[in-house]
Amino acid sequence: MAKILSVIFFLMLQFPQTTTWDSSAMLVIWNVGQGQWLTRVQGNRCIHFDMGGEKAPSRLITNMCQGRLNQVWLSHGDWDHIGFLKQSASALGGLCLLA
């Protein structure tokens, strides 16, 4: 739980407007086996934090974010994240990796 709260706090620092989301914005926390992956969906973009995992919800993400700008933040370079990027870029029509 502490990890989830720290990630949410980090995202709020990076995107101050998240504290005043409109009703069309949503934050999805995916349980991917060994941790969580967060997706913020608002308008024409999806922002993913620590995308990937052993139980990645590929079909759900494709349905939710295909045709939108998909931006990815990775907190670390483990294979479950790095290895998932190619598959995701193909399914979503491209990704933008943020540093």
Side-chain angles (χ1 to χ4, degrees):
M1 184 64 165
K3 182 178 178 183
I4 294 171
L5 292 175
S6 63
V7 168
I8 291 171
F9 180 72
F10 171 79
L11 290 173
M12 291 175 75
L13 289 175
Q14 294 299 316
F15 308 101
Q17 71 274 17
T18 60
T19 57
T20 58
W21 283 358
D22 62 33
S23 61
S24 66
M26 85 176 129
L27 180 66
V28 182
I29 302 172
W30 308 96
N31 181 354
V32 292
Q34 74 280 20
Q36 288 81 32
W37 154 8
L38 289 103
T39 299
R40 176 184 178 216
V41 181
Q42 185 173 15
N44 67 344
R45 75 180 185 164
C46 292
I47 302 171
H48 309 279
F49 181 78
D50 278 347
M51 176 182 244
E54 59 193 36
K55 297 179 185 176
S58 301
R59 191 173 68 181
L60 294 172
I61 289 294
T62 300
N63 290 340
M64 183 182 297
C65 295
Q66 189 175 37
R68 294 184 169 160
L69 173 64
N70 285 276
Q71 299 172 309
V72 179
W73 289 79
L74 298 178
S75 65
H76 56 286
D78 286 354
W79 181 248
D80 60 320
H81 303 298
I82 302 297
F84 192 72
L85 291 177
K86 183 177 180 182
Q87 173 188 345
S88 298
S90 175
L92 296 172
L95 296 174
C96 178
L97 187 60
L98 303 171

